[in-house]
Amino acid sequence: KYSKSKTYDNDYDLHGESLSEMSESLKIVVFHENMKYVFKLTNLVSIINHSLSKCQSFFVESEEIKNPYTNILFNKSILYNIYFAIKKTCINIPILFEMFFRCGFCIDNFKATYEPYILDEYIKGYINDLSKDKLQRLCYEILQKYKRVNRKMREFKFDRRYPKEKMIKKMKPIVQKYLFVKHSQNQGYRFDCERSIIHDLCELISKDKDFGKPLIKKSKRTGVQIIFKPLVHLNIFQFDPSTEKVIDALEEFRDNNKPLRIKLGI
């Protein structure tokens, strides 16, 4: 059967690279449904990881591994051949595929035995699928949740006018850990992640003095910004501290017994 079967007519891997130019040690020939398919091993590793770590709304829904060209399930003999082919190379076997192998490639046994590990592997890649708006909401959620854990966090004030791009860039590693705190079933690891989040937040606030503060654009005005002393607590917009002038109109009126006239110099 194998010698007389045809080879699937495709000279490119799943990423568009030429299979004929690759080293034979990086490829595997899979005999499936009376047809030979040539795969790059790393492509199969990606397919295996995607299938075994599949979750929906953080509920484990691992799927059996399929042939990407036909969408037909690989049988156990093919999975064993793939496993031992990867073993012979320098490619690291995915941890979930190793666990699947230990379960005799039984998907139900695999999910029942290793559910916490499957969920953790899913969370590792979940952050890459999040939009910027979702990441921003998670950043706000973290700052709100941990704002009272210690004195440093209680004193820190975050202004929501702080640029979204900068906030996401600085807090993305913290968001990754926070996803484990929210969804992981591994209680010990959740505790370690939460402790690490508090440490990282305090370090970020200490080292970056501008974090959480809005960018104040310098005004092109040549005059001064008049601030009346009784209303100074309402002055939330600051253009340039060096051009501010705080006055008390009531005192001026009492001292001079005449209305106050202000020359703005604009």
Side-chain angles (χ1 to χ4, degrees):
K1 268 188 171 183
Y2 184 85
S3 61
K4 293 183 179 180
S5 62
K6 295 181 180 179
T7 301
Y8 184 72
D9 187 17
N10 179 44
D11 188 41
Y12 296 94
D13 72 350
L14 300 179
H15 292 149
E17 298 179 17
S18 176
L19 289 167
S20 59
E21 296 177 2
M22 291 181 192
S23 170
E24 293 298 318
S25 62
L26 300 177
K27 297 184 290 185
I28 183 176
V29 179
V30 173
F31 181 63
H32 187 223
E33 297 291 315
N34 297 318
M35 181 74 74
K36 294 175 186 174
Y37 297 90
V38 181
F39 289 101
K40 186 180 180 182
L41 283 171
T42 52
N43 287 167
L44 286 176
V45 167
S46 299
I47 292 169
I48 290 165
N49 263 333
H50 178 74
S51 299
L52 297 181
S53 65
K54 189 171 182 181
C55 295
Q56 186 69 31
S57 300
F58 297 97
F59 289 98
V60 173
E61 294 182 359
S62 300
E63 293 181 343
E64 294 195 77
I65 301 158
K66 300 176 182 179
N67 186 331
Y69 295 113
T70 62
N71 210 32
I72 299 174
L73 297 178
F74 283 144
N75 56 37
K76 287 188 178 181
S77 64
I78 292 175
L79 294 176
Y80 277 111
N81 285 333
I82 294 171
Y83 176 84
F84 289 113
I86 297 173
K87 271 276 191 182
K88 292 178 183 178
T89 67
C90 59
I91 301 171
N92 292 326
I93 293 184
I95 187 170
L96 295 184
F97 193 38
E98 181 68 41
M99 294 171 178
F100 196 31
F101 168 76
R102 293 177 186 175
C103 293
F105 297 121
C106 174
I107 196 69
D108 292 330
N109 190 16
F110 168 69
K111 287 191 289 185
T113 307
Y114 297 108
E115 182 177 351
Y117 299 96
I118 298 168
L119 184 57
D120 282 356
E121 288 298 310
Y122 169 74
I123 293 171
K124 286 178 184 177
Y126 176 70
I127 194 169
N128 298 321
D129 299 327
L130 294 177
S131 65
K132 290 182 179 179
D133 289 338
K134 180 65 175 175
L135 284 169
Q136 185 184 36
R137 287 196 294 272
L138 284 169
C139 290
Y140 289 152
E141 189 176 320
I142 292 168
L143 293 170
Q144 180 68 24
K145 180 179 174 66
Y146 297 103
K147 69 177 182 179
R148 297 190 181 277
V149 293
N150 54 36
R151 185 172 61 85
K152 187 172 289 186
M153 288 300 298
R154 286 194 295 272
E155 292 174 353
F156 173 69
K157 303 297 180 185
F158 183 84
D159 193 306
R160 295 208 173 202
R161 291 175 294 171
Y162 187 74
K164 177 169 69 173
E165 299 285 347
K166 291 183 70 175
M167 179 178 64
I168 291 173
K169 183 179 179 180
K170 292 177 183 295
M171 290 191 64
K172 195 170 183 179
I174 298 175
V175 173
Q176 174 78 76
K177 296 172 186 176
Y178 184 63
L179 290 171
F180 283 99
V181 171
K182 286 189 72 175
H183 303 292
S184 178
Q185 298 177 8
N186 187 333
Q187 296 297 331
Y189 189 57
R190 287 174 64 180
F191 175 77
D192 289 341
C193 285
E194 190 154 44
R195 187 168 56 182
S196 180
I197 287 170
I198 295 169
H199 173 269
D200 292 348
L201 281 174
C202 292
E203 191 173 3
L204 176 61
I205 293 167
S206 300
K207 290 185 176 180
D208 189 348
K209 300 299 182 183
D210 295 327
F211 178 69
K213 297 178 182 178
L215 296 177
I216 301 172
K217 295 181 179 180
K218 289 188 177 181
S219 175
K220 294 181 180 179
R221 296 156 57 103
T222 58
V224 295
Q225 181 183 3
I226 302 299
I227 302 170
F228 292 98
K229 192 174 181 180
L231 304 177
V232 70
H233 61 285
L234 299 177
N235 182 40
I236 60 173
F237 295 104
Q238 187 179 56
F239 299 105
D240 187 353
S242 63
T243 61
E244 286 183 353
K245 183 176 182 181
V246 180
I247 61 174
D248 191 332
L250 188 58
E251 281 187 13
E252 292 281 347
F253 179 75
R254 286 172 179 170
D255 293 343
N256 302 324
N257 197 23
K258 59 183 180 179
L260 175 69
R261 295 184 179 180
I262 303 169
K263 186 178 181 181
L264 298 179
I266 300 175

